[in-house]
Amino acid sequence: PARECARKAGLKRKKQCFQKRIGFTAYCAESWGYNALNTRRECLGACLADYGFFNLLLGRYPGPNVDETGQLRPCLQCDEDISGAGFKYSAGRTRRNSGLQSAIKRPGSEIFTVDHSAYFQ
């Protein structure tokens, strides 16, 4: 769902999608929207070379997110390097430091252990 929202044209449409499709607050949706805009602006070349024009156009991301050594694909690595710090600053939390798995396979050492059941007692 996040990739679907990130592909929307313009910040307003991205934010609306993040709010309606995923349930993010306005502030969280804005953080994700700006992250998507920055990644598109800064990493489009790397992503085109990595996935190909038609795959990006159609929202297809073939193959695993990491190679056999655990290295991120070039497009994802660009996002991590270029947009990662700004996103972490604005969002305050990431899936990894919140103990949540994502579609990107990460080493266990990068996923912080959080007991989420404590929030629901």
Side-chain angles (χ1 to χ4, degrees):
R3 281 182 170 171
E4 176 188 320
C5 294
R7 293 180 62 228
K8 301 287 184 193
L11 180 62
K12 183 177 179 179
R13 292 185 68 210
K14 289 178 191 328
K15 285 173 52 177
Q16 288 173 339
C17 182
F18 284 123
Q19 287 180 272
K20 291 179 183 173
R21 176 99 162 85
I22 301 175
F24 289 165
T25 65
Y27 293 117
C28 189
E30 185 167 293
S31 182
W32 278 73
Y34 276 117
N35 179 74
L37 284 174
N38 189 63
T39 299
R40 178 180 288 169
R41 181 178 57 246
E42 300 294 332
C43 298
L44 183 59
C47 294
L48 284 169
D50 187 14
Y51 293 114
F53 175 75
F54 288 108
N55 283 329
L56 282 182
L57 184 68
L58 299 172
R60 296 187 304 221
Y61 307 94
N65 292 317
V66 295
D67 66 18
E68 58 280 347
T69 67
Q71 293 295 313
L72 289 173
R73 294 185 72 121
C75 180
L76 296 172
Q77 189 65 57
C78 183
D79 172 57
E80 184 97 353
D81 295 342
I82 300 297
S83 296
F87 178 75
K88 289 174 191 173
Y89 178 80
S90 69
R93 303 292 306 166
T94 65
R95 285 176 277 208
R96 283 178 280 166
N97 68 15
S98 298
L100 303 172
Q101 295 290 335
S102 73
I104 302 169
K105 185 178 180 190
R106 305 284 188 163
S109 61
E110 289 189 23
I111 310 295
F112 190 76
T113 302
V114 176
D115 181 6
H116 292 281
S117 65
Y119 298 106
F120 300 103
Q121 293 179 357

